[in-house]
Amino acid sequence: MTQPPRSGATAAPPVTSANATIPAQRGRGGLPPVRRTAFAEGAERLRDAATTEPGRLRVIGAVLALLVVAFGAVTAWQSGERASAADDVQTRSQPLSSGAAAIYRSLADANTAASTGFLAGPRESAANRERYEDDIRTAASGLVRAAADTEPGSPSEATVRKLNGLLPEYKGLIERARVYNRQGYPVGGAYLRYADEKMRTEMLPAAQDLYTKENQRLDADYADATPYPWAGIALGLLALAALGLAQYRDFRRTNRVVNHGLAAASAATVVVLLWLVVGHTVARSELSGSYDHGIRSLNVLHNAQIAALKARGNENLSLVARGAETVEVNGSKKDAYYYAFDRDVATLDARLTEARRLADDDKGGRPVDSALGDTAEWKKRHRAARDEDERGNYQRALDQVIGADDTTGAAFDGVDGSLTRALGHEQTEFDRAAADGRDAMAGLPGGAAALGVLGAAGAVFGIGRRLSEYR
C-alpha cells in the first residue's frame, strides 16, 4: 500500500515511458534526467528502421549511392592527377630539361668557336664569328626562360642567377683575348685560357647542375603519371559487387529479372572502370615508351654532343697553349689539353655506342652510324695533326685542325651535325608518345565524375521504385 507523502515533502514525479529507464530521482532533491545524444537517437531509429523491408531498402540505397559516388570521385581525382602529370611531362619538365641541355651545349659550343676564332686570328671566318655570337644569344635567352620557369628560392633559381652573372664575365674575357691576339700580344692566349678555365670550372658545371635538376623534375613527373590507380579500381570493383548483390537480392524477393535503375548504375560503373583501366594502361604504355625510346636516347645523345664539343675545344686549346699546360699521369707529364681530348673522345665513343643500341629504327640509327664514322675519321686526323705539332710543325698542325680541306674541324662538324639530326628524331618520337599517353586519359576525370553521379542517381531510382511498392 502506497504511503502518502509526509508534510513538507515533495512527491516524486511519476515514471513515464519517456524516462522509464532513468531513475526518478538521484539523492536528496533529485537530478534532471540524462538526455541521450542525437547520434544515439539516430542510431536507434536506424536500427528500428532496418527491421522493416522499407528501412532495409533505404539503407541499401544509401550505401549503393555512396559507393558509386565515391568511386566516381576517387577515379576523377586519381586520373586528374595522372593526366596533369602527363601533361607536365610533355609541356613543362621535358622542355625545361631540353632547354637546360641546350644552355650547356650553347656554352660549350661558344667556347669551341672562341678558340677556333683565336687560332684563325685575323683570318677568322664570318661564319665562325656568327656561330659564337649565336651561341651566346642562345645561352642568354635560355637562361631567361629558365629564370621564368624556376620556382623562387629553389636551387635551380640560384644556378640560373649564377650563370647570368658569369656569362658577361666570360664574354668580356673572350673579347680581350680577341683584341690582344689581333694585335699580336701573347697575353691574348692567357686571357683565352682564363676564359676557358672559367667556362670549364664554373659555367659548365653550373649548367650541368641545372640540367641534372631539371631531369630530376622530369623523373618526378613520370613517377606521378605512371602508377596504377589502385584505389579507384578497388572502389569500382567493390561498387560493382554491391550493385550485383543488390540486384540478386531484388530478384530473390520479387522474381524481377532486371531492376532498371540498378542496371543503369551498374552500366555506368562498368564504363568508368573500363575507361579507367584501359585508358591508364594505354597512357602508362605510351609514357613508358616515351621514356625508354625518347628520354633515354635524348639524354645519351645530349651527353655525346657535349663530349664532342669539349673534345673540340680541348683540341683547339692544345694549339693555343702549345704545351704550356701539363698534367701528370702515371708519373709522366702530358699535355693537359691533349690528355683531356683523349678522355672526351673516349666518352663520345661510349655514348655513341649506347645511342646506337637504344635506337629502335633506321631513321634514328642512321645519324648515329654517321656520327660513329665521323668520330673515327676525326681521331685519325687528330692523330696526324698531333704528330705534326709534336715534331714542331705548328703551322701544318694548325692547317690540319682549322684549315680548308680534310681537317679535324670538318670531321667534328660531321659528328655535331649527325648528333643534331639524331636529337631531332628522338625529340619527335618523344613528343608523339608523350602526347598519346596524355590523350589516353583526356576526358576521364570529368567523365568519371559525371558517370558517378548518374550511377548514384540510377541506384537511388532503382531502390525508390521498390520503396514505392510499400506505400
Side-chain angles (χ1 to χ4, degrees):
M1 183 173 179
T2 303
Q3 296 294 328
R6 291 178 297 173
S7 177
T10 303
V15 178
T16 64
S17 60
N19 57 10
T21 61
I22 303 172
Q25 63 180 28
R26 296 181 182 177
R28 182 172 297 177
L31 293 174
V34 178
R35 296 183 59 85
R36 292 179 299 169
T37 63
F39 176 79
E41 292 180 357
E44 184 176 351
R45 291 194 187 97
L46 188 62
R47 284 194 302 269
D48 292 341
T51 59
T52 65
E53 180 62 12
R56 284 191 286 268
L57 286 174
R58 291 188 182 93
V59 172
I60 291 172
V63 171
L64 291 177
L66 180 62
L67 278 175
V68 175
V69 167
F71 169 52
V74 171
T75 298
W77 166 59
Q78 289 194 308
S79 59
E81 281 195 336
R82 284 154 178 76
S84 177
D87 185 67
D88 286 342
V89 164
Q90 186 181 21
T91 62
R92 188 194 67 165
S93 51
Q94 197 281 327
L96 287 175
S97 176
S98 291
I103 291 172
Y104 193 113
R105 181 196 179 281
S106 298
L107 292 174
D109 194 56
N111 202 43
T112 298
S115 60
T116 300
F118 186 90
L119 287 174
R123 295 181 297 133
E124 180 185 10
S125 66
N128 187 76
R129 177 67 178 174
E130 184 60 28
R131 179 174 182 170
Y132 168 79
E133 295 294 344
D134 283 344
D135 286 333
I136 294 297
R137 284 193 294 268
T138 300
S141 61
L143 289 172
V144 170
R145 287 193 298 272
D149 292 328
T150 53
E151 297 178 1
S154 66
S156 294
E157 184 194 37
T159 303
V160 171
R161 186 166 58 248
K162 178 181 179 181
L163 284 170
N164 272 323
L166 289 172
L167 187 60
E169 293 180 20
Y170 171 81
K171 189 174 181 182
L173 290 171
I174 291 297
E175 293 307 318
R176 288 188 181 184
R178 188 187 304 275
V179 169
Y180 285 128
N181 184 50
R182 291 191 174 186
Q183 292 176 350
Y185 294 133
V187 72
Y191 271 108
L192 183 68
R193 292 196 299 274
Y194 182 43
D196 173 73
E197 182 181 5
K198 182 176 287 291
M199 176 65 75
R200 288 186 296 105
T201 61
E202 297 183 59
M203 298 177 70
L204 290 182
Q208 178 67 47
D209 182 58
L210 181 64
Y211 178 56
T212 300
K213 287 184 172 64
E214 296 304 338
N215 269 348
Q216 290 171 349
R217 185 191 300 194
L218 176 61
D219 290 342
D221 285 337
Y222 267 108
D224 290 339
T226 53
Y228 264 104
W230 293 116
I233 293 173
L235 270 174
L237 293 174
L238 181 61
L240 274 180
L243 287 166
L245 288 173
Q247 291 176 83
Y248 178 72
R249 182 181 185 277
D250 190 54
F251 170 72
R252 289 291 300 271
R253 289 178 176 271
T254 66
N255 286 327
R256 293 190 180 95
V257 177
V258 177
N259 181 306
H260 293 91
L262 295 179
S266 299
T269 303
V270 168
V271 169
V272 175
L273 187 59
L274 287 176
W275 192 356
L276 175 63
V277 173
V278 174
H280 190 272
T281 300
V282 172
R284 180 186 174 93
S285 175
E286 292 294 339
L287 287 171
S288 296
S290 73
Y291 189 89
D292 292 337
H293 305 298
I295 296 299
R296 290 179 62 192
S297 294
L298 285 170
N299 288 340
V300 171
L301 290 168
H302 279 310
N303 290 333
Q305 194 168 45
I306 287 167
L309 289 165
K310 290 167 71 174
R312 177 59 177 171
N314 285 316
E315 182 178 55
N316 290 340
L317 285 165
S318 66
L319 296 178
V320 173
R322 304 183 71 169
E325 300 286 342
T326 60
V327 61
E328 187 170 333
V329 181
N330 297 327
S332 61
K333 289 187 176 182
K334 293 187 177 182
D335 185 289
Y337 295 110
Y338 279 146
Y339 176 76
F341 173 88
D342 292 338
R343 181 192 60 208
D344 293 332
V345 167
T347 300
L348 172 61
D349 276 330
R351 295 294 178 268
L352 287 175
T353 301
E354 186 178 1
R356 188 62 186 90
R357 180 180 60 82
L358 291 174
D360 55 350
D361 57 12
D362 289 340
K363 194 171 182 181
R366 281 195 299 270
V368 178
D369 289 335
S370 179
L372 282 166
D374 287 330
T375 299
E377 182 64 24
W378 183 10
K379 289 190 290 185
K380 184 175 72 174
R381 295 179 185 181
H382 172 80
R383 184 70 259 175
R386 184 186 294 192
D387 289 342
E388 294 292 345
D389 184 36
E390 290 174 347
R391 286 196 293 265
N393 298 324
Y394 177 78
Q395 188 58 48
R396 292 187 64 179
L398 184 62
D399 290 340
Q400 290 181 357
V401 171
I402 62 168
D405 300 316
D406 299 330
T407 62
T408 61
F412 160 75
D413 287 340
V415 173
D416 191 57
S418 295
L419 287 172
T420 298
R421 291 194 299 276
L423 282 165
H425 171 74
E426 297 300 337
Q427 183 68 48
T428 300
E429 290 292 295
F430 164 80
D431 288 338
R432 179 197 58 76
D436 290 344
R438 179 194 61 187
D439 294 343
M441 290 186 285
L444 179 54
L451 287 173
V453 172
L454 290 175
V460 171
F461 175 77
I463 296 299
R465 292 294 301 271
R466 287 282 290 114
L467 282 172
S468 65
E469 298 172 3
Y470 290 90
R471 292 172 186 157

